[in-house]
Amino acid sequence: RGRGNAPAQAGNGQAASVQAAAPRQPAAGAVGPIAQAEDGRPVGQAPAAPDRPPEVAPIFEQPGVLTKAGTTIFEPSLQYQYSSSDKIALVGYTIIPAIIIGLIDVRNVKSNSLTGTLSFRRGITNRFELEARVPYVYRWDDVRGREIADPERVRSVFFKEDANDIGDVELIGRYQLNDGGGDSPYYIASLRFKTRTGKDPFEVATSLSVENARTGNVNELPTGSGFYSLTPGLTVLIPSDPAVFFGGISYQYSFERNGVTPNLVNVSDPENYAYEEIQPGGVLGFNFGMGLALNERSSFSIGYDHLSVDKTEATFSYDGSKAEGVRVQLGSLLLGYSYRLNDKRTLNLSVGVGVTRDTPDVQLTLRVPITL
C-alpha cells in the first residue's frame, strides 16, 4: 500500500482527519467497473496509510499541526483559573532558636482570573505558520487575614484585590521539520516571543504602611510578568491508529531587567527598595498525552503538563545585597473534548487540575477556532 508524505496541516487549527484513498480507475480495455468498498477503494485492496494524524482535542496551548498555506484561522478563547492558598508571613526577630518574637500574619487567599484571548494563525507555507496572541486579563483575589501575635487589636481583615487590563502579547512561529506520514512521527519546532505589554508587578501600587503591611494589602494586581522572554520548543506527534500520541519540550528564557524601582506608596525614599538587576529563573517545560477520535466530529484527549521554574536572582541598588527566590514545580492533569461544528468551526473545551501545591486548583479553557 502507498504511504503518504505530505506535511501535517489543518484548516481549523486542529489535527486534520484521515483522508481515504482515491478509487482505482479501471485499466484500459477492462470490461465493466471494478467493485468498490464503502470507502471507495477496490475490494481486496488494503486501506491507504493516513498521511496526517487523526483529529484530536487540543489540551495544550500549541496546536498539534500546522495551518494550510494561505489559510487564516481566528481563534477566540476564554480561560478561567481558580486557586486557593494559606500563607504565613513572619515579621520579627529570633533571640532563641525556633522562637520568633514579633508579628505572625496568617492569610487565606482565593485567586480568580478570566483571560480572554484573540489569536490569529496564518499558514505561510505547508511547513511554516505564524501566530499572534492578544490577551485581556481580569483577575481578583479575596483575602482574609489575621494577626496571631496580636489577636486583640485585629481579629480578622477582609479585602479584595482586582485588576483588568491587557496582558502580555505573544508572537509565535512554527515549522514542521519532516514529512511524516503513515506511522512516522511528526516533528514541529516552535519559537515564542513574549512581550511585556501587560501591567507588571513593579508598576502596581503597593503600600508599605504598617496597617497594610500586616495584611499584605496591595492596591491592584498585575496582568503581565514584567519581562520579555523567548521560548524555543519541539512538539512530536505519533499516529498509532486509532490513537495519536503527542508530547513536547520547551525552555523559556526571560531577559534581565536593570534599574527597576517598585511603585511604593507612603515611602519617602523608594530608591532604597530599587533593584540594580533582576534575572528571572528559566522555565523548563514538558508535556505528553494521547488523543482518540470518537467519530467523524468528536475527539477526546488526556495529558499531563509540567513546568519547572528555576530560582530568580535579584541585586538591590541600595547596598548591593542579593536576594534569591525558590524553585517552583507546576504540574497539571488535563482533559479535553473537541466537537467539529462544520467545516469552518470547531468547539474545544479542556479542564486542568493542579497536582502540585503552586499550580491553580482548576483551569477551564474554551476555544473556538474559525477558518476565515
Side-chain angles (χ1 to χ4, degrees):
R1 62 183 179 183
R3 188 176 187 176
N5 62 355
Q9 303 170 353
N12 63 351
Q14 313 305 322
S17 58
V18 179
Q19 295 181 341
R24 179 184 300 173
Q25 300 298 323
V31 179
I34 297 178
Q36 296 180 344
E38 291 182 359
D39 60 1
R41 59 183 171 84
V43 173
Q45 178 180 332
D51 59 1
R52 302 173 186 177
E55 185 174 347
V56 295
I59 53 178
F60 306 129
E61 286 189 357
Q62 67 274 17
V65 292
L66 302 185
T67 308
K68 290 182 179 180
T71 301
T72 300
I73 296 177
F74 168 61
E75 182 180 287
S77 65
L78 182 65
Q79 182 180 83
Y80 170 74
Q81 289 185 335
Y82 170 80
S83 62
S84 63
S85 63
D86 296 317
K87 300 179 180 180
I88 299 179
L90 305 178
V91 183
Y93 57 94
T94 300
I95 56 176
I96 300 176
I99 301 298
I100 296 177
I101 298 177
L103 172 68
I104 303 176
D105 177 38
V106 179
R107 290 176 292 167
N108 176 262
V109 183
K110 299 183 184 299
S111 301
N112 300 265
S113 69
L114 276 174
T115 304
T117 304
L118 299 180
S119 300
F120 296 87
R121 293 197 295 274
R122 175 73 177 179
I124 308 303
T125 69
N126 285 339
R127 287 180 176 268
F128 179 60
E129 76 171 11
L130 292 174
E131 179 178 4
R133 293 180 178 177
V134 182
Y136 191 88
V137 180
Y138 173 57
R139 53 177 301 194
W140 66 99
D141 288 356
D142 294 314
V143 182
R144 177 184 179 184
R146 179 176 180 179
E147 300 174 12
I148 293 181
D150 193 7
E152 296 301 326
R153 292 184 58 187
V154 182
R155 301 297 299 182
S156 60
V157 178
F158 297 89
F159 58 91
K160 182 175 181 179
E161 304 163 344
D162 62 359
N164 60 93
D165 205 340
I166 189 172
D168 292 337
V169 174
E170 298 180 355
L171 302 174
I172 307 113
R174 300 184 183 89
Y175 181 77
Q176 184 173 315
L177 301 176
N178 67 328
D179 290 335
D183 294 330
S184 299
Y186 299 87
Y187 298 96
I188 301 174
S190 64
L191 182 64
R192 180 195 307 265
F193 174 68
K194 186 185 69 63
T195 66
R196 54 186 187 96
T197 52
K199 181 172 292 187
D200 66 53
F202 309 106
E203 293 178 327
V204 298
T206 304
S207 176
L208 292 185
S209 63
V210 175
E211 292 79 6
N212 287 338
R214 288 183 173 180
T215 57
N217 189 18
V218 295
N219 297 345
E220 54 186 333
L221 297 173
T223 60
S225 68
F227 296 90
Y228 292 105
S229 67
L230 277 177
T231 307
L234 179 67
T235 301
V236 181
L237 297 99
I238 305 175
S240 180
D241 191 34
V244 175
F245 298 94
F246 47 85
I249 187 170
S250 64
Y251 182 81
Q252 176 179 309
Y253 174 80
S254 298
F255 294 93
E256 178 184 274
R257 287 188 64 180
N258 299 313
V260 179
T261 301
N263 181 15
L264 301 179
V265 181
N266 299 333
V267 173
S268 59
D269 50 353
E271 293 78 11
N272 292 343
Y273 300 89
Y275 298 94
E276 180 179 343
E277 61 182 31
I278 302 178
Q279 176 60 66
V283 182
L284 176 64
F286 66 88
N287 55 57
F288 56 87
M290 180 192 71
L292 183 65
L294 304 178
N295 52 48
E296 294 181 354
R297 288 183 174 269
S298 58
S299 59
F300 173 81
S301 295
I302 183 172
Y304 177 77
D305 185 61
H306 193 94
L307 296 175
S308 179
V309 185
D310 203 356
K311 299 178 180 179
T312 295
E313 298 179 351
T315 302
F316 292 97
S317 302
Y318 180 70
D319 56 1
S321 60
K322 296 183 180 297
E324 190 176 79
V326 296
R327 290 186 174 90
V328 178
Q329 305 296 327
L330 306 175
S332 298
L333 179 66
L334 298 133
L335 301 173
Y337 178 77
S338 177
Y339 184 78
R340 182 167 58 86
L341 302 174
N342 51 49
D343 293 339
K344 300 290 185 179
R345 295 175 176 83
T346 302
L347 183 67
N348 301 318
L349 179 65
S350 65
V351 57
V353 178
V355 297
T356 59
R357 181 180 298 273
D358 298 303
T359 311
D361 298 334
V362 64
Q363 171 182 297
L364 294 172
T365 306
L366 177 66
R367 304 184 183 97
V368 185
I370 303 171
T371 304
L372 302 180

